[in-house]
Amino acid sequence: MIDHIRHCGENHAMFFPKRKDNTEAKTERRAILAIDGGGMRGIIPAAILGRMNDYLRSKGDARPLYSHFDLIAGTSTGALLAAALSIPTEGTKLPKEDADGYTVYGEYREKRFLRTVVHRYPLGVIEASSDPASFVDFYLENGPRIFPQKGLSSLLAPIFSDKYSATQYEQLLKSLYGEHDMSDLMVPTVMVTYSTDNGIVYPITSWNSHGYKVWEGTRASSAAPLYFPLFNAEERDTGRKLRLIDGGIAANNPSLIAYSLGRKLYPEADEFSILSLSTAQPVFRYAPEAVPGGITGWGGQISRIFQNASLDAAEIALKAISDIRYTRVWAPVLDRKIRLDETGRESTNMLLEAASALYGAKKKEIEDFLDRLIEEPTHSCIRLRAAQGSLPPAPEAGL
């Protein structure tokens, strides 16, 4: 029905005439995909996204994966995946999904004598984006370029400077995403960063992008302290300069930030379904009695305790909000903590095995979530390419 095509931000919508309809008002549901940070542990959500796409295809839903969501959010490595999901592939090095696009149809009713005729017409075409099946290969092929291991010098670098230079990483991001602006993304997207100047979470969004490029948003969101230098950003519309670091400092799980932004984007929504993909970070447990106190005992542990606690706090809050239906994809599938810059074969194989184990452990929850998405219409926040055919004529009064 045409009244199912809802406006959600001018950068992402096609506009269609509103028409009267005698059907009862339906519950407005919005779906959010949120992807955690975690460096090379991004292999885990990358593999799960590929399996999600396969599941939708097996159920006969040919729409691109991104188009099932009204908002996609990512922190750090999650921001890389969020961008890859809905970026136009022209001018990028991302392999395009093998599809020509998916035509979305609208309907309107016309009264003819004693009967009502339903007309169907093309609203537009959902563009195919990059192939989710290629996301794991991105990490396997480019991990060593992002995190070049240089023996002893690599181990000593964080003592005196950041562990890695941003130059090679930025070149990779520019090559990967081309010159696309954040506003080019085909579904509302947010990348979580943290402003060191203002001491606040600074989301970079596609609908209020300040002129940022996609590569800039991903670079800022993944500027992990000790690993990469902060990112010197500038809002092109205001000229304001900011120094941004990895959003994982404040929200490694971006679900709560995504909900707060989604609530502003869709103020009339009755329910938000959030699918939160973790990077399977193990729960950190610390026995302070086993080590000395002070800096010696707590210094190397406090950041891990803080991050674990913030993840737990976000989950408590999300489960307490009445209009959220929250599905968290996490399970204790990693035997040990894998550092965000571990690129060796043993580590990547462990991550691939963990992805399979995690999908197996959460298979029912994930597929139940996807089944609900299959039943939902395509909302107008998904950018459509014009289709052949014309909009219907204005209906008669009273229809």
Side-chain angles (χ1 to χ4, degrees):
M1 299 295 297
I2 193 167
D3 64 329
H4 287 179
I5 305 295
R6 304 185 179 102
H7 171 56
C8 51
E10 64 178 286
N11 284 333
H12 291 279
M14 287 188 68
F15 296 90
F16 305 104
K18 291 184 178 179
R19 302 178 181 276
K20 293 181 181 179
D21 199 327
N22 294 326
T23 57
E24 294 182 4
K26 294 183 176 133
T27 300
E28 182 175 332
R29 298 182 177 89
R30 295 291 178 173
I32 294 174
L33 174 65
I35 311 172
D36 282 16
M40 287 298 293
R41 293 198 307 274
I43 285 174
I44 293 173
I48 289 174
L49 289 169
R51 295 188 68 163
M52 286 168 54
N53 197 52
D54 290 342
Y55 180 80
L56 291 169
R57 295 293 178 272
S58 74
K59 292 292 183 176
D61 192 325
R63 290 175 290 178
L65 178 59
Y66 75 85
S67 68
H68 292 82
F69 296 94
D70 300 286
L71 177 62
I72 298 177
T75 295
S76 195
T77 198
L80 272 73
L81 291 169
L85 274 168
S86 73
I87 195 169
T89 55
E90 185 176 354
T92 76
K93 285 197 172 178
L94 291 163
K96 187 174 183 178
E97 189 168 17
D98 186 17
D100 295 327
Y102 178 89
T103 302
V104 179
Y105 291 90
E107 295 177 354
Y108 75 100
R109 291 176 171 81
E110 181 182 7
K111 185 178 287 186
R112 291 184 179 176
F113 301 105
L114 299 176
R115 64 192 181 96
T116 297
V117 178
V118 177
H119 298 275
R120 193 166 181 256
Y121 65 98
L123 291 171
V125 177
I126 304 174
E127 294 278 14
S129 184
S130 56
D131 187 355
S134 70
F135 292 169
V136 168
D137 289 338
F138 164 78
Y139 285 93
L140 298 179
E141 293 170 7
N142 295 291
R145 292 178 60 192
I146 300 171
F147 305 111
Q149 304 301 311
K150 298 178 180 177
L152 184 60
S153 63
S154 181
L155 294 174
L156 294 177
I159 299 174
F160 306 104
S161 64
D162 299 295
K163 191 171 184 180
Y164 303 106
S165 166
T167 303
Q168 189 162 298
Y169 184 35
E170 290 182 2
Q171 289 173 347
L172 173 63
L173 293 176
K174 291 175 185 177
S175 171
L176 186 67
Y177 300 120
E179 288 299 312
H180 281 294
D181 296 326
M182 285 290 297
S183 59
D184 291 336
L185 298 176
M186 295 184 289
V187 65
T189 302
V190 57
M191 301 175 183
V192 181
T193 78
Y194 184 84
S195 168
T196 61
D197 299 280
N198 304 314
I200 59 171
V201 173
Y202 180 79
I204 294 177
T205 70
S206 59
W207 62 92
N208 185 20
S209 67
H210 297 298
Y212 288 121
K213 302 289 185 184
V214 172
W215 78 262
E216 292 175 317
T218 53
R219 165 70 174 88
S221 186
S222 55
L226 301 181
Y227 291 91
F228 291 110
L230 56 76
F231 182 66
N232 291 299
E234 181 177 353
E235 296 178 348
R236 290 180 174 85
D237 54 347
T238 68
R240 182 168 67 141
K241 292 179 169 53
L242 301 126
R243 287 171 290 190
L244 305 175
I245 60 174
D246 194 311
I249 292 294
N252 205 55
N253 174 358
S255 297
L256 196 56
I257 302 252
Y259 167 73
S260 69
L261 293 170
R263 174 46 69 196
K264 293 178 182 177
L265 272 180
Y266 312 112
E268 297 181 0
D270 302 295
E271 178 183 289
F272 288 85
S273 294
I274 301 177
L275 182 64
S276 173
L277 302 185
S278 77
T279 53
Q281 180 174 325
V283 173
F284 179 64
R285 297 178 175 86
Y286 179 55
E289 71 276 2
V291 296
I295 294 176
T296 304
W298 288 97
Q301 316 301 330
I302 196 68
S303 63
R304 296 173 67 186
I305 293 171
F306 173 77
Q307 189 174 63
N308 194 97
S310 66
L311 286 170
D312 192 47
E315 188 148 350
I316 291 170
L318 288 158
K319 289 180 177 178
I321 300 173
S322 61
D323 63 350
I324 292 179
R325 193 169 183 173
Y326 184 62
T327 302
R328 175 70 169 164
V329 182
W330 180 90
V333 292
L334 284 173
D335 295 331
R336 67 171 177 85
K337 176 180 173 62
I338 294 182
R339 299 188 313 276
L340 64 83
D341 62 340
E342 286 191 48
T343 60
R345 180 69 61 85
E346 179 183 349
S347 298
T348 55
N349 285 343
M350 189 180 298
L351 290 169
L352 289 170
E353 291 170 5
S356 294
L358 181 55
Y359 192 92
K362 295 293 182 176
K363 186 173 188 290
K364 185 177 187 309
E365 292 96 321
I366 294 171
E367 294 180 357
D368 284 350
F369 191 100
L370 295 176
D371 287 339
R372 294 196 300 272
L373 295 186
I374 290 170
E375 298 301 318
E376 284 290 308
T378 300
H379 294 164
S380 69
C381 52
I382 307 304
R383 183 179 289 121
L384 301 180
R385 169 167 51 86
Q388 292 184 348
S390 61
L391 293 176
E396 297 177 11
L399 290 187

